[in-house]
């Protein structure tokens, strides 16, 4: 803490100032804070498990240890990877570089997807139908670009130009590494950038994409094909292993109308180059060091990271991201105690109780809407720690001898696994995150809140800490995820997870009024020079923080400590509660990463998450004696009261 600062002037620095001063961003990171410390602890824990598994030569064929150990051992065999250079993708480069016409182009787009090689041109996945949540449907989304957001193609300020130049250099480097002459490689870079720019121009912004109605467009496959005369979706989907489906959901139909024109107007030779680029960029992190280093040089310009993340760390993350439910079984055996799960279930029950009290006490919501909100709250499914049914990746071939092939096999396996869900009942046991992940999520279509084992550790959760620390940490995280069910987007789904309005018009108008005020509060925060937080884009997360912290405080006040005034380390229970919240969000971030975060991350930066919710809570003002004249002071009538 930095006690020389008044909490009412800068609560972020007051709570974390000295930590921030003494903990600069390490060279191999782009940001450093409480989350990163825990992620660092976790990746080291994962590495120890992987090293043991890789060293265990007696593991039975087909066992979890053997498969996990083989995957990791192959990924760490840099001598073998170095020797291969780009040999693993030569065949694919040749194949997709021989497109002659639209039919051939679409064939290759389907091939790259189904073989786990790349996802060019557009996004495709299988998921629940938001208006019929017991049905899995094929879904198409805008896509086809490489830079993190469409804005990077459309803006021409100095920051964007620097990133565009680095991107073109990256394309040029990868092509020259496969033997293409420098002049041709540079020409390829222009071709790819210009084609991707056209795709970017057809995309909706991230703010528009937050609207679940705007992005819900249902077509019969035949009707959708009529809107894209050059793309027959029935035959393309069959090549993408989707058969017998007559319905499709599309998040941005205008994007596909534009794409339909491009497949015809852009010369086949340009599409060849674009497809080759998709093969190259998808493979680069898994090829020899020339490719890996080029990939890092490009990402450095985006993130500002000083040195490359060590190979063991990248490969530990890759193992988790690829066969996470095998690795997860070894992880929870070692790092997740049954008592942590019990304590979490108790905390979740208390948070739901607190939320119920808060909904009942809302002065801005009618009884009719409250009833629906409570029905939704009581229908929440909490998942804690790890899945009850682990995926076993049946049929996935993993060899200790061929790293690249393992990655490709896994991509293909994951694609087949995804399309195999069509025509089957929705699997409500599945998880969207792996057990070692330091994160949590809410799914509106499942109406579930999910907390992987990875986040259930200090500073979020410590079974031995006082209640103030746990409620200000994991309690607020639980409350945050519950609040996603009631944020500007999640609140449009009912208790069954169906996209269906359950609000009276008056209550909805009042909700939107509050959301507008919150948007303005966050818009006023400056991140870098002229860059502000985007209050509309971060709206869901900001409502999550405000609702979550209020609910966590309400639940904390039900505990013995919450009702006492007993000091610990000189701080009252309420002060400790708010300090725990603040210290979860402390962190340093590189300016390049901060600029990228504003464009791509729906969460507000840590320093504004620290203060954004408390300045709307009377309890915070009382805890730290914040008065008019203090910089963070908001008049009681201006404090935004949501959930």
């Amino acid at each position: 803490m930095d006690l020389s600062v008044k909490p009412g002037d800068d609560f972020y620095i007051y709570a974390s100032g000295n930590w921030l001063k003494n903990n600069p961003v390490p060279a191999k990171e782009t940001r450093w804070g409480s989350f990163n410390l825990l992620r660092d602890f976790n990746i080291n824990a994962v590495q120890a498990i992987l090293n043991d598994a890789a060293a265990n030569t007696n593991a039975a064929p087909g066992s979890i240890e053997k498969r996990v150990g083989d995957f990791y051992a192959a990924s760490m065999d840099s001598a073998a990877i170095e020797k291969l250079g780009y040999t693993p993708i030569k065949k694919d480069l040749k194949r997709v570089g021989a497109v002659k016409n639209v039919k051939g182009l679409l064939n290759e787009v389907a091939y790259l997807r189904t073989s786990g090689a790349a996802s060019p041109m557009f996004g495709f996945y299988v998921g629940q139908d938001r208006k019929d949540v017991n049905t899995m449907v094929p879904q198409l989304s805008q896509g086809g670009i490489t830079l993190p957001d469409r804005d990077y193609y459309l803006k021409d300020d100095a920051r964007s130009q620097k990133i565009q130049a680095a991107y073109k250099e990256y394309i040029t480097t990868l092509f020259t590494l496969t033997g293409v002459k420098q002049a041709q490689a540079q020409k390829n870079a222009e071709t790819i950038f210009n084609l991707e720019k056209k795709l970017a121009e057809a995309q909706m912004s991230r703010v528009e994409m937050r609207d679940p109605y705007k992005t819900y467009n249902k077509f019969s496959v035949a009707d959708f094909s009529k809107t894209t005369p050059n793309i027959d979706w029935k035959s393309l989907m069959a090549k993408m292993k989707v058969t017998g489906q007559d319905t499709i959901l599309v998040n941005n139909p205008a994007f596909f109308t534009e794409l339909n024109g491009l497949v015809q107007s852009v010369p086949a030779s340009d599409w060849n180059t674009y497809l080759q680029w998709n093969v190259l960029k998808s493979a680069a992190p898994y090829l020899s060091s020339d490719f890996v280093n080029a990939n890092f040089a490009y990402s450095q310009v985006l993130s500002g990271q000083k040195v490359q993340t060590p190979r063991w760390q990248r490969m530990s993350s890759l193992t988790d991201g690829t066969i996470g439910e095998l690795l997860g079984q070894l992880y929870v055996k070692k790092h997740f105690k049954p008592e942590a799960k019990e304590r979490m279930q108790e905390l979740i029950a208390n948070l739901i109780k607190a939320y119920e009290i808060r909904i009942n006490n809302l002065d801005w919501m009618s009884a009719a809407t409250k009833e629906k909100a409570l029905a939704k709250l009581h229908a929440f499914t909490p998942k804690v720690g790890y899945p009850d049914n682990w995926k076993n990746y049946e049929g996935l071939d993993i060899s200790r001898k061929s790293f690249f092939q393992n990655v490709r096999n896994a991509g293909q396996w994951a694609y087949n696994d995804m399309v195999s869900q069509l025509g089957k009942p929705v699997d409500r046991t599945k998880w969207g995150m792996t057990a070692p992940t330091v994160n949590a999520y809410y799914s509106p279509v499942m109406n579930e809140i999910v907390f992987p084992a990875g986040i259930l550790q200090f500073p979020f959760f410590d079974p031995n800490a006082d209640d103030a620390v746990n409620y200000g940490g994991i309690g607020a995280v639980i409350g945050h995820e519950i609040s996603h069910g009631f944020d500007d987007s999640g609140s449009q789904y009912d208790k069954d997870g169906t996209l269906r309005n359950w609000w009276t018009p008056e209550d909805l108008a009042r909700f939107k009024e509050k959301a507008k005020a919150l948007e303005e509060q966050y818009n006023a925060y400056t991140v870098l020079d002229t860059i502000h937080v985007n209050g509309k884009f971060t709206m869901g997360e900001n409502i999550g923080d405000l609702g979550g912290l209020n609910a966590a405080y309400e639940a904390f006040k039900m505990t013995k400590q919450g009702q006492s005034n007993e000091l610990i380390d000189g701080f009252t229970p309420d002060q400790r509660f708010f300090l725990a919240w603040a210290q979860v969000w402390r962190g340093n971030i590189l300016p390049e990463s901060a600029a990228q975060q504003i464009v791509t991350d729906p969460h507000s930066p840590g320093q504004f998450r620290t203060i954004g919710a408390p300045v709307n809570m009377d309890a915070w003002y009382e805890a730290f004696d914040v008065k008019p004249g203090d910089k963070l002071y908001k008049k009681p009538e201006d404090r935004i009261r949501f959930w």
Side-chain angles (χ1 to χ4, degrees):
M1 297 175 69
D2 179 352
L3 301 177
S4 70
V5 175
K6 274 173 76 175
D9 280 344
D10 191 336
F11 189 54
Y12 182 61
I13 296 298
Y14 168 76
S16 303
N18 277 338
W19 188 94
L20 292 165
K21 241 179 270 167
N22 298 324
N23 289 276
V25 179
K28 72 181 179 73
E29 303 287 342
T30 57
R31 51 175 84 181
W32 195 247
S34 298
F35 259 90
N36 308 85
L37 276 166
L38 179 44
R39 285 184 177 138
D40 211 51
F41 166 81
N42 259 11
I43 202 73
N44 281 295
V46 163
Q47 186 203 13
I49 291 167
L50 292 171
N51 281 337
D52 288 351
N56 179 2
T57 45
N58 302 321
S63 66
I64 293 172
E65 281 83 356
K66 170 110 176 98
R67 298 172 81 200
V68 167
D70 283 355
F71 187 91
Y72 184 66
S75 77
M76 292 302 287
D77 185 355
S78 29
I81 294 163
E82 220 45 49
K83 209 156 74 190
L84 283 171
Y86 77 100
T87 310
I89 56 168
K90 273 185 179 164
K91 244 177 32 205
D92 279 340
L93 287 173
K94 194 171 169 200
R95 181 187 161 140
V96 302
V99 165
K100 303 264 188 304
N101 51 31
V102 173
K103 188 172 181 247
L105 168 63
L106 297 175
N107 276 349
E108 293 314 310
V109 166
Y111 162 74
L112 290 175
R113 273 210 154 69
T114 55
S115 63
S119 308
M121 213 181 254
F122 54 83
F124 169 72
Y125 62 102
V126 169
Q128 283 164 274
D129 182 336
R130 274 174 269 172
K131 292 190 178 179
D132 178 11
V133 290
N134 293 317
T135 308
M136 301 296 279
V137 283
Q139 312 200 22
L140 291 169
S141 58
Q142 62 183 35
I145 63 175
T146 306
L147 287 165
D149 187 81
R150 64 165 205 164
D151 285 7
Y152 287 105
Y153 296 86
L154 310 182
K155 288 187 170 165
D156 62 356
D157 56 281
R159 197 179 265 121
S160 304
Q161 282 180 350
K162 187 181 169 195
I163 288 168
Q164 289 168 10
Y167 176 42
K168 288 175 187 173
E169 193 177 319
Y170 177 41
I171 301 175
T172 306
T173 306
L174 289 199
F175 273 104
T176 54
L177 287 174
T178 65
V180 174
K181 297 225 166 12
Q182 180 77 15
Q184 182 58 47
Q186 280 169 333
K187 216 173 120 200
N188 289 356
E190 290 304 326
T191 298
I192 289 157
F193 184 84
N194 293 333
L195 179 46
E196 289 188 355
K197 186 177 179 180
K198 287 182 178 133
L199 295 170
E201 282 163 351
Q203 292 190 4
M204 288 200 282
S205 71
R206 285 181 190 245
V207 169
E208 290 174 286
M209 295 294 289
R210 284 187 48 72
D211 182 336
Y213 283 96
K214 194 171 195 169
T215 53
Y216 185 93
N217 303 284
K218 200 178 213 172
F219 293 88
S220 74
V221 175
D223 283 348
F224 187 55
S225 294
K226 283 179 196 150
T227 69
T228 60
N230 299 319
I231 308 172
D232 172 17
W233 288 98
K234 191 170 179 182
S235 83
L236 180 53
M237 279 164 59
K239 287 176 188 135
M240 284 163 48
K241 303 193 173 186
V242 176
T243 48
Q245 297 288 320
D246 57 3
T247 306
I248 195 155
L249 281 174
V250 184
N251 74 354
N252 178 4
F255 174 85
F256 289 90
T257 316
E258 186 63 27
L259 180 65
N260 172 68
L262 293 173
V263 297
Q264 191 73 56
S265 64
V266 171
S269 59
D270 288 2
W271 280 115
N272 289 346
T273 307
Y274 171 80
L275 292 179
Q276 286 185 320
W277 168 239
N278 274 267
V279 170
L280 273 170
K281 71 173 181 186
S282 304
Y286 319 119
L287 297 172
S288 57
S289 52
D290 291 347
F291 288 87
V292 176
N293 295 340
N295 176 259
F296 176 64
Y298 155 67
S299 70
Q300 252 186 316
V301 178
L302 281 167
S303 70
Q305 188 175 333
K306 303 288 182 286
V307 304
Q308 196 162 15
T309 311
R311 184 167 189 95
W312 70 262
Q313 192 172 338
R314 283 179 283 130
M315 294 306 127
S316 298
S317 299
L318 180 71
T319 310
D320 181 37
T322 309
I323 46 171
E325 294 205 12
L326 294 179
L327 170 63
Q329 293 176 64
L330 304 178
Y331 174 84
V332 297
K333 227 181 265 177
K334 210 164 179 173
H335 295 282
F336 191 59
K337 309 281 178 285
E339 50 272 29
K341 190 164 186 165
E342 280 163 38
R343 180 83 176 102
M344 258 309 272
Q345 282 162 332
E346 185 188 317
L347 280 162
I348 291 170
N350 292 351
L351 257 298
I352 288 190
K353 204 181 303 168
Y355 230 96
E356 185 180 318
I357 293 168
R358 294 193 65 82
I359 289 172
N360 278 320
N361 290 339
L362 291 176
D363 60 2
W364 58 271
M365 186 184 272
S366 68
T369 307
K370 278 181 184 177
E371 195 183 318
K372 298 272 178 31
L374 290 167
K376 179 167 185 175
L377 178 70
H378 293 141
F380 270 57
T381 303
K383 293 178 176 176
V384 177
Y386 53 88
D388 293 333
N389 302 333
W390 294 97
K391 257 186 202 169
N392 67 358
Y393 306 90
E394 202 174 319
L396 170 57
D397 195 19
I398 297 171
S399 150
R400 194 173 263 252
K401 301 254 182 311
S402 55
F403 169 54
F404 189 85
Q405 199 53 50
N406 289 342
V407 173
R408 188 58 70 80
N409 290 351
Q412 192 170 5
W413 186 92
Y415 183 85
N416 290 336
D417 181 55
M418 176 179 78
V419 294
S420 75
Q421 297 170 59
L422 290 165
K424 289 185 192 157
V426 171
D427 177 4
R428 294 189 174 272
T429 66
K430 76 165 190 256
W431 280 51
M433 284 178 181
T434 65
T437 304
V438 182
N439 211 334
Y441 70 93
Y442 168 73
S443 163
V445 283
M446 290 278 206
N447 198 24
E448 65 182 12
I449 45 176
V450 187
F451 305 96
I455 197 172
L456 305 180
Q457 301 170 66
F458 183 79
F460 296 95
F461 176 66
D462 178 355
N464 307 314
D466 55 307
D467 279 333
V469 169
N470 277 329
Y471 278 90
I474 200 72
V477 172
I478 297 166
H480 172 101
E481 298 309 336
I482 294 173
S483 297
H484 274 314
F486 302 100
D487 70 18
D488 60 318
S489 175
S491 61
Q492 301 183 63
Y493 296 79
D494 69 8
K495 69 179 175 57
D496 305 321
T498 305
L499 185 59
R500 182 165 41 206
N501 179 49
W502 46 272
W503 294 74
T504 67
E506 299 76 25
D507 289 341
L508 192 55
R510 281 191 282 265
F511 177 88
K512 286 183 169 163
E513 205 179 297
K514 289 176 178 295
K516 187 81 193 120
L518 198 64
E519 181 188 330
E520 284 162 10
Q521 176 188 323
Y522 281 85
N523 279 342
Y525 295 141
T526 310
V527 185
L528 283 174
D529 45 73
T530 57
I531 300 179
H532 282 252
V533 176
N534 180 340
K536 221 185 189 73
F537 179 40
T538 54
M539 174 78 72
E541 300 299 337
N542 300 336
I543 294 175
D545 283 349
L546 181 53
L549 193 60
N550 269 296
Y553 181 74
E554 183 92 39
F556 172 55
K557 297 313 273 182
M558 297 177 196
T559 67
K560 204 167 140 211
Q561 184 192 12
Q563 290 163 10
S564 83
N565 287 314
E566 194 183 322
L567 300 183
I568 301 180
D569 297 335
F571 294 102
T572 67
D574 277 22
Q575 287 174 331
R576 287 175 70 80
F577 170 85
F578 285 109
L579 286 168
W581 164 258
Q583 292 181 351
V584 158
W585 301 118
R586 66 186 178 195
N588 286 307
I589 183 167
L590 301 175
E592 296 89 343
S593 288
Q596 186 181 345
Q597 183 189 5
I598 290 300
V599 181
T600 60
D601 188 346
H603 301 84
S604 295
Q607 72 263 43
F608 304 119
R609 296 190 75 173
T610 301
I611 60 172
V615 298
N616 291 303
M617 293 172 67
D618 300 344
W620 175 74
Y621 288 83
E622 285 156 27
F624 293 99
D625 196 26
V626 178
K627 294 269 194 289
D630 291 346
K631 287 178 188 156
L632 292 175
Y633 182 82
K634 266 179 133 176
K635 290 189 206 139
E637 62 271 24
D638 293 340
R639 294 171 199 167
I640 302 159
R641 300 167 207 277
F642 240 113
W643 291 105

